[in-house]
Amino acid sequence: MSSHPSLFIRRARILLPSGEFMVGDVKICGDEIVEVASTILDTAKETGDKEIDADGLTLLPGVIDPQVHFREPGLEHKEDLFTASCACAKGGVTGFLEMPNTRPLTTTQANLDDKLRRAAQKCLVNYGFFMGATAENLPDLLEANPTCGIKIFMGSMHGALLVDREEWLEAIFAKGERLITVHAEDQDRINRRRQEFAGITDPAIHSQIQDNQAALNATQLALRLSKKYQRRLHILHMSTGEEAELLRQDKPSWVTAEVTPQHLVLNTDAYAKIGTLAQMNPPLRSHRDNEVLWQALLDGVIDFIATDHAPHTLEEKAQGYPNTPSGMPGVETSLPIMLTQAMQGRCTVAQVSNWMSTAVAKAYKIPKKGAIAPGYDADLVLVDLDNYRPVLREELLTKCGWSPFEGWNLTGWPVFTIVGGQVVYEKGKLYTDVRGKALTFG
C-alpha cells in the first residue's frame, strides 16, 4: 500500500466494467484504484486524504488516444509534447500513442529512446510511441522496444516513411509478430488523380483526389498480406463505407480498425464552412460514408476511436490549396464530441467509453487500463453531462490554436482529469508538475 495520502472520489456516477452505472465512491491509493463501492468510510482523515465531491458528475476511465501526431522533435512550431499533453489533460485523455513522422523520424531505437526521454520530462499524461517502417529498417522494427507497434504509411507520405511497393510491404508482414498499423491509401492512384485534377484550388477537390477507391485499394492489400501471414493488423482512421463493408464481410479475428470523430460527424460539407481547416488524410467523405461508418462502429466491425490529432498553424493552413498541409487537432474535443453524440441518442455513454478507452487498452495489450475497478490504474476523467459549452478558440491549449469544431455546442466536458492517481486538470486549472509514465504493451 502506498504511503501517499489516499484520494477519494465521492458521489460520482461511476461507469462499471459491466457497462452499468452506480452512484458511489472510489478510493485511490498511490496510482491504483483500491475500492469502488456505494459508500466508502474514510477513517483516516488525519493522514491528509484528499476528496473530490463528484456529485452530479460521471466518472469514466481516462481516454487513451491511439493515434496522435505531437510534432516533437523537429516540428515544435506546430505542437510539442508539453502543449499536446496539456491539451490531452483538458480533454480527458490520460494516455496517447504517438506517430513516427517527426524530424528525425522514429525509425531507430536511438530516436525512440529520445522521444521517451522527452516525454518523461514533459508529458502530463501517459505515453507510448510507434516505430515507423521504411523500406530498409526491418531489423529496427523487429527489435525496438518499448513500442506499441509498427506504423506503415502506404500512402499520403513522402520520403523514407512512404512504403508503397508490395514487395516492401510483404517483407514487413512476413517477419516478426509485432502489431502492424497502416495508413491505407493507394499512393499510385493518388498520384494519377493529382495530375488529373491539377490546377484546381478548391480544397474540396482533396476528397476526390484521395478518393474512396484509393483507401479501399490499400486496405484490401493490407488485409490480404495480413491473412497470408496471419499477422496482427490494425487499420488506422478508416474513412469509407466501402472499407467498413469489406471488413464486415471479411475480418479475421486478429484484425482491428479505428475511426476518427471527424469521419463520423464531419463530411465534405465542411469545406464550404471552414475551407482548408477541413483538409486531412484520409479526407472527409460523404454523408453516406458517415452513416456506414457509424453503423460499423455500433456493430463492432470498427473497434475503437482515435483522433489522428495532427496540428498545423493557421498560417500554414492559409497558404491555399494544394499548398496546405493535411491534418487537424482533436485531443481536446474528442470526448465531448462523442459524449454529445451519446446524449443525442446516437450511442450510449458506455459505448463511447469502450471505444475511447477499454477497447484501445485491449487491442494494444496495455495492462491495468480502461476500467474502473480495484487493481486498475487510477487514470480517470469526471465529466459533466448536464451542461453544454461551445468550443472556443481562445480556450484551446493545443499550440496550433484552432479546432474544426469551433462554435459547436458540446456536453461531456471534463471537470477533473486524474493521471496515476494525481489530479492533472481541475475545473479549468492545469497542474503542470504532474508527469505521466511510459505505457507498457503485452
Side-chain angles (χ1 to χ4, degrees), residues 338-347 349 385-386 388 411-412:
M338 294 306 300
L339 289 174
T340 301
Q341 294 292 307
M343 299 310 284
Q344 291 171 355
R346 196 86 204 233
C347 55
V349 172
L385 290 169
D386 293 328
Y388 283 73
T411 191

Side-chain angles (χ1 to χ4, degrees), residues 173-246:
F173 273 88
K175 281 204 174 72
E177 297 180 350
R178 183 162 277 166
L179 165 69
I180 291 173
T181 68
V182 292
H183 178 127
E185 288 190 281
D186 178 345
Q187 191 62 41
D188 282 345
R189 182 176 178 87
I190 292 170
N191 291 343
R192 289 195 304 273
R193 292 177 71 78
R194 206 168 269 154
Q195 295 298 318
E196 191 179 332
F197 296 105
I200 298 175
T201 57
D202 179 353
I205 201 69
H206 188 65
S207 292
Q208 291 186 53
I209 293 171
Q210 297 179 211
D211 67 347
N212 289 37
Q213 191 64 47
L216 180 62
N217 290 354
T219 294
Q220 286 172 326
L221 173 56
L223 191 59
R224 180 158 57 78
L225 290 171
S226 171
K227 288 162 68 178
K228 181 174 179 178
Y229 295 101
Q230 298 209 355
R231 185 66 181 268
R232 173 83 175 88
L233 171 68
H234 177 65
I235 299 157
L236 299 161
H237 47 41
M238 184 169 279
S239 65
T240 72
E242 289 88 339
E243 291 168 285
E245 289 305 313
L246 170 68

Side-chain angles (χ1 to χ4, degrees), residues 407-419:
W408 286 42
N409 203 33
L410 305 177
T411 191
W413 289 99
V415 181
F416 290 85
T417 304
I418 297 165
V419 175

Side-chain angles (χ1 to χ4, degrees), residues 345-408:
R346 196 86 204 233
C347 55
T348 68
V349 172
Q351 283 174 314
V352 170
S353 185
N354 179 58
W355 296 330
M356 300 188 77
S357 186
T358 314
V360 179
K362 180 184 173 187
Y364 284 95
K365 298 182 180 176
I366 307 170
K368 297 174 64 177
K369 306 287 186 192
I372 303 174
Y376 276 76
D377 290 338
D379 297 330
L380 302 163
V381 58
L382 276 161
V383 298
D384 177 2
L385 290 169
D386 293 328
N387 295 291
Y388 283 73
R389 282 198 296 110
V391 180
L392 299 175
R393 184 173 288 191
E394 58 270 22
E395 293 181 359
L396 295 169
L397 298 182
T398 175
K399 191 183 280 191
C400 72
W402 61 272
S403 166
F405 302 111
E406 201 172 332
W408 286 42

